[in-house]
Amino acid sequence: YGFRRMFYGIFVDLQRDGLAREMLELPWEEEAPNDASHVVSDGDDSERGNMFWRRRQLRWRQEKAKFDKDRWLQDLDIEEDYVYQCALAMECHWQCGSQSTTAAAAAAAVAKTPEEQSHSVESITADIESLSMNASESMDTTRESYFSEDERLQLHSIPYPLLPQTPTDQDNPSEAEALLLGLWDILFAYVYDHLTTDGESTVESAWTVTTLSSLFSCLEDYADVVALDGRTEADRSATSLAVSSSIRRSLIYPYLRNISFATHCAKQVTAIFQQGPRCIIRCLLQTRKVLEQSELYYLGNKLFVDPYLAWLQKDINHVQMAIQRWTPKVEQVVATERRTLEDLDLNVSDSSSDEESDDSDVESDSDSETDSEDDEDHDHDASANSPRRVGEEKSGSGRNQVSSALLDHNIGTSTTPGLLQSITSPGTTD
C-alpha cells in the first residue's frame, strides 16, 4: 500500500494498539510483499481478482450504509449557511498566484506614457544585453520567489523516501496517470478543508482531510482501474471513478454535504492542476503540516505526501507533461458528467422503499392476526364434528413457517449494481 505500493508492515511494526482502526476506515490485512495475492488472487488475472478491487467494493458498501438521507436533505438549501458563503467567496492562492503577476505587468504597460514607451538605441541595446546575461539567473529567482521561506525550509527538511524508478508520461502513461488520480484524491480533501476553514486549519482539519481522502482512510490505489485492458476509455473511466469517489465521500462525512459545493471543490482542484507542479507542491506542503500535527493521522505523510513531494521534484519536466496530458480529461469529467444520488450509488429511494415495505409488513401482520383469530373461533365450533380439521391446521401452520423462512432467507439478497461498479468493471456482473 501507499505510494506505488512501496510500503508494507507499517501498522505491525509500529505496534501501537488501535492505531490501524483509528486511522483507517478499512483495516489492512498485512501480507508478505512478494505474495502473489498482494496483486492477484484465486488465479484470476482480471480486475476482480485484485485486492484493491475487493477493498473498493467493501468501501462502497460501507459508504452507502453510512449515508444519512435526512442529513443530506438538510443541506439541499445551504445558501444562508455562513461557512458555505465564506467558502464560495474565498480567493485562494491558486487563483491569484500567476494571474496577479500577469495583470500587474499589463497594467504597468498600459500606464506608460508615449515618452516612456519610446526608447533610444542605447537603451534597447542595454536591455538586450541584460536579458541575455541574466536569463537563467532570472528563472532561478522566479522559482525561488514562488515559495515562501517557511515552504523552502520544509522542502529541505522533509525526510524523502528512496523512490523506485518513477514512471513518466512517455515511459508508462498508465502508471503516471494512476499517480495523478491519487494526487486528485488528496487535493480534493485539501481543497474542501481549505475552503471550509477559510485557509486556516483547525483541530478538525486532519480528520476532514483523512476522511475525505480514500487514499488516507482506505489506502486506495487506482492502478488496477487505469490499466484495465489498455482501451482508450479506460483512462476516462478511471478519472470518472476518482472524481465520483471524492464527491461521494463529501456527501457522507463532513459538515457541508451538498453536491453543488462538492462540484465547486472539484473545479478548484482542476484549477490547481492547471497551475502546474509548483502549486501542487504548495498544497501538499500545507496538507503535510496539517497531518504532522495530528497524533492519529500523521502516517499519511509517510505513506503518500512525502513520496508525492519527492516525485514532483525529481523530474518536474516529465511530471509537467503528464499533468498537461491528463488535466483536459478531468476537466471534461467535472464539467460534463451528471451527479445525482443515483449516479453516485446513494439512491434515497432504496431506504425509503425499505421503510415503506416495513410499514406494509406491520399492517399485513396485524390484518393476518385479526383474520386468524376469526378463523380460530370458527374452527373451534366445528372441531368436534370434523377431526380432520385439526390436521389441516397443523399442516397449514407448517406451510406458513416454511414460507416465512424462505422470506427471511431472501431478505437483503437482491442488489442492484451501481454506476461506480460499472465504471471499474465494464461488461461484467457479480
Side-chain angles (χ1 to χ4, degrees):
Y1 46 80
F3 181 86
R4 296 194 67 201
R5 309 182 188 180
M6 57 184 293
F7 298 97
Y8 67 92
I10 297 294
F11 302 101
V12 174
D13 295 340
L14 289 177
Q15 295 181 353
R16 178 180 174 183
D17 295 336
L19 176 61
R21 293 190 175 276
E22 291 175 353
M23 176 182 175
L24 299 178
E25 182 179 341
L26 291 180
W28 183 270
E29 297 179 2
E30 296 290 350
E31 298 179 359
N34 295 326
D35 191 353
S37 62
H38 187 65
V39 178
V40 177
S41 64
D42 301 330
D44 185 6
D45 57 354
S46 66
E47 69 276 11
R48 288 186 174 275
N50 191 284
M51 175 196 302
F52 291 93
W53 188 92
R54 298 196 305 270
R55 288 177 59 84
R56 194 174 301 120
Q57 302 300 313
L58 179 60
R59 172 169 67 87
W60 288 338
R61 289 195 293 268
Q62 289 188 2
E63 290 173 355
K64 191 171 185 178
K66 292 180 180 180
F67 177 69
D68 189 347
K69 178 188 65 175
D70 296 332
R71 179 68 173 79
W72 170 77
L73 290 174
Q74 292 176 4
D75 283 354
L76 285 179
D77 186 12
I78 57 174
E79 299 295 333
E80 302 299 327
D81 189 276
Y82 179 74
V83 176
Y84 175 77
Q85 294 175 354
C86 293
L88 292 185
M90 182 180 179
E91 186 176 5
C92 306
H93 63 84
W94 58 83
Q95 295 174 331
C96 57
S98 61
Q99 296 177 1
S100 60
T101 304
T102 305
V110 173
K112 288 184 178 181
T113 62
E115 291 78 8
E116 293 175 338
Q117 293 179 357
S118 60
H119 299 284
S120 62
V121 177
E122 292 78 5
S123 62
I124 295 176
T125 305
D127 292 340
I128 293 175
E129 290 178 355
S130 63
L131 288 175
S132 60
M133 291 173 60
N134 301 324
S136 59
E137 192 177 302
S138 62
M139 290 295 293
D140 296 336
T141 304
T142 303
R143 182 176 302 176
E144 289 295 329
S145 63
Y146 182 85
F147 297 105
S148 65
E149 183 178 354
D150 181 63
E151 291 171 340
R152 291 196 297 269
L153 181 62
Q154 289 186 62
L155 291 174
H156 288 296
S157 61
I158 292 176
Y160 297 106
L162 182 61
L163 298 181
Q165 184 64 34
T166 54
T168 63
D169 185 60
Q170 297 176 346
D171 300 334
N172 192 342
S174 297
E175 193 168 0
E177 185 157 352
L179 293 179
L180 292 178
L181 290 175
L183 198 55
W184 162 277
D185 184 90
I186 296 175
L187 290 178
F188 182 91
Y190 159 77
V191 167
Y192 186 100
D193 178 74
H194 190 79
L195 294 179
T196 54
T197 60
D198 201 21
E200 298 292 337
S201 60
T202 65
V203 292
E204 297 293 336
S205 294
W207 177 88
T208 302
V209 172
T210 302
T211 303
L212 285 181
S213 172
S214 58
L215 268 72
F216 291 150
S217 59
C218 303
L219 302 177
E220 179 62 275
D221 191 301
Y222 292 106
D224 62 313
V225 185
V226 174
L228 281 177
D229 53 3
R231 294 176 302 178
T232 55
E233 291 157 11
D235 295 338
R236 173 102 189 270
S237 299
T239 303
S240 300
L241 172 64
V243 174
S244 299
S245 178
S246 297
I247 295 178
R248 174 188 171 95
R249 293 183 70 84
S250 69
L251 301 181
I252 300 173
Y253 298 103
Y255 173 69
L256 295 177
R257 307 181 186 182
N258 184 273
I259 293 181
S260 298
F261 180 68
T263 304
H264 174 73
C265 293
K267 292 179 180 179
Q268 297 303 309
V269 179
T270 60
I272 293 176
F273 276 102
Q274 290 174 352
Q275 293 296 322
R278 292 188 304 175
C279 185
I280 297 175
I281 291 175
R282 169 171 288 173
C283 296
L284 290 180
L285 288 177
Q286 296 181 10
T287 303
R288 187 181 190 278
K289 190 174 182 180
V290 169
L291 298 180
E292 191 178 26
Q293 298 173 352
S294 173
E295 296 181 356
L296 298 179
Y297 307 115
Y298 62 90
L299 282 179
N301 289 333
K302 180 177 182 179
L303 297 177
F304 294 101
V305 179
D306 291 352
Y308 266 114
L309 286 171
W311 176 61
L312 290 171
Q313 299 176 78
K314 186 176 181 180
D315 195 347
I316 194 170
N317 292 328
H318 286 157
V319 172
Q320 179 68 40
M321 292 174 59
I323 293 176
Q324 291 177 352
R325 175 180 179 270
W326 178 73
T327 301
K329 297 181 181 179
V330 70
E331 289 177 349
Q332 182 181 7
V333 170
V334 172
T336 60
E337 285 196 355
R338 295 175 62 252
R339 289 176 193 89
T340 62
L341 291 183
E342 185 177 359
D343 297 329
L344 299 172
D345 199 16
L346 295 174
N347 198 349
V348 179
S349 61
D350 295 340
S351 58
S352 61
S353 61
D354 293 339
E355 295 176 358
E356 293 176 358
S357 62
D358 293 339
D359 296 338
S360 62
D361 292 340
V362 172
E363 294 177 357
S364 61
D365 291 341
S366 60
D367 295 339
S368 61
E369 289 177 358
T370 305
D371 296 339
S372 61
E373 291 176 357
D374 296 339
D375 293 340
E376 288 178 358
D377 295 338
H378 176 74
D379 295 340
H380 179 72
D381 297 336
S383 59
N385 299 327
S386 180
R388 292 180 57 188
R389 183 67 177 176
V390 177
E392 292 177 356
E393 288 177 358
K394 292 183 178 180
S395 61
S397 62
R399 287 192 297 269
N400 291 334
Q401 292 176 357
V402 173
S403 61
S404 299
L406 292 175
L407 290 174
D408 293 339
H409 176 71
N410 288 330
I411 289 178
T413 57
S414 61
T415 58
T416 303
L419 173 65
L420 298 179
Q421 283 183 306
S422 64
I423 289 177
T424 54
S425 55
T428 59
T429 56
D430 292 338

